[in-house]
Amino acid sequence: MTDTASTARQGALDALPMFLPAVPFALVLGIAIMGSGLLPLLGWSSSPIIYGGASQLTLLTLLGDGAAVAAAVTAALIVNARHLMYSAAMAPVFQQQPPWFRWVGPYFLVDQVFVLSMLRANEEPAAFRAYYLGVGVTFWLLWMIATASAMVVGPIVPREWQLGFAVPVLFTALLVIGVDRWPKAAAAGVAAAVTLLAADLPHRSGLLLGAVAGIVAGILIEKARG
Amino acid sequence: MSALLAIVLSGIGTYFSRAVFILALANRRIPRPFRLAMEYVGPSVMAALVATMLVGPQGQIAAGPAELSALVVAALLAWKTRNHLLTLGGGMAVFWVVRALGAL
């Protein structure tokens, strides 16, 4: 039992440095929540309910912009479609876990938890579970605290700084860091161009049109190259 | 109330996207075309989101020299450093400096 506890503690310790990249996210999200016009507690409830920075940011920014619920939710979900890949990669590891953990575990499956716990995929099921929960619960707690703190800090910043512009800057960072070969850059270019051309469509639906156009363009380019 | 609905729906969808293979399809292989499509979801959605944020409520382009130069610098920083924090800081710094210059 002490073994399990120390494994969980190791997970918690490993989670701490991994949280650093999430800090700017939390800050921008806090500002976006306060700028969205939603009740602060309602906006913050997205942290425990959705628990995914990019999805939360997308949803709250679009809702604040007056987007339709269906468009905002669809956009928020496709932003985090990579979770499907995590789920698929984790499935064999979770096969050896008890049912309760197969239900509870996925809730904590964010990028950093995936990266850290995959390194322990070959350990004993009980040790893996302890480590996963150590990382997952620590990361979750930090996210709850960080997003709440950012909502307090955000509004203190003078309005003229226009901190809301940090949202597109951060998404640009995510975009560029995610591009590891040129068809992805082409897909991004097509997506941006189509979104701008479709900017007149109601409820920001040009966003979805642009995203789909980019995905199709990327696949076609990859196919053409063989 | 519609905001709460949107948050709850997104929460259910997000949980489902993390749980689906773990709960149900553990031994199935993901079809290749689907895997390929998912690779392009990230860049396409991010680019579309950034483009959306540069457009005003009436569909007009709402980005000036400060916004555009900040995003170009952010893209370069992200490409060179692969660091979110540095990219955010650098992009915002350029945004503020160019805007201050424009206001002179």
Side-chain angles (χ1 to χ4, degrees), chain B residues 2-100:
Chain B
S2 66
L4 181 61
L5 178 71
I7 291 171
V8 170
L9 287 177
S10 300
I12 294 171
T14 300
Y15 174 78
F16 185 74
S17 73
R18 290 169 179 158
V20 58
F21 292 108
I22 288 173
L23 286 175
L25 302 166
N27 298 316
R28 298 263 188 89
R29 282 185 50 82
I30 312 171
R32 208 184 112 70
F34 183 65
R35 269 209 324 261
L36 193 61
M38 280 199 298
E39 290 224 17
Y40 288 98
V41 168
S44 302
V45 175
M46 293 302 160
L49 276 171
V50 173
T52 304
M53 290 169 193
L54 299 180
V55 173
Q58 266 80 50
Q60 79 282 21
I61 303 288
E67 283 83 359
L68 294 179
S69 52
L71 290 184
V72 169
V73 170
L76 287 173
L77 276 174
W79 184 42
K80 286 291 175 199
T81 69
R82 315 226 147 250
N83 182 323
H84 297 101
L85 212 56
L86 216 76
T87 303
L88 186 64
M92 289 308 285
V94 169
F95 175 61
W96 287 322
V97 167
V98 176
R99 224 176 26 140

Side-chain angles (χ1 to χ4, degrees), chain A residues 110-196:
Chain A
V110 297
D111 305 62
Q112 287 88 340
V113 174
F114 174 74
V115 171
L116 282 176
S117 59
M118 269 317 254
L119 300 174
R120 305 247 174 169
N122 294 323
E123 296 199 357
E124 293 263 305
F128 174 82
R129 191 162 63 243
Y131 185 79
Y132 186 96
L133 286 174
V135 174
V137 172
T138 306
F139 214 85
W140 185 86
L141 279 173
L142 288 172
W143 183 247
M144 297 309 127
I145 296 166
T147 48
S149 316
M151 291 168 63
V152 179
V153 173
I156 298 173
V157 177
R159 194 167 266 278
E160 308 85 73
W161 290 17
Q162 296 194 11
L163 269 191
F165 188 66
V167 180
V169 174
L170 193 59
F171 277 130
T172 300
L174 286 176
L175 163 63
V176 174
I177 290 171
V179 168
D180 53 8
R181 52 177 195 270
W182 75 266
K184 288 196 186 174
V190 169
V194 171
T195 304
L196 289 176

Side-chain angles (χ1 to χ4, degrees), chain A residues 182-183 186-187 190 216-226, chain B residues 40:
Chain A
W182 75 266
V190 169
V216 171
I219 293 171
L220 289 180
I221 292 170
E222 188 111 347
K223 280 238 160 79
R225 298 201 313 165
Chain B
Y40 288 98

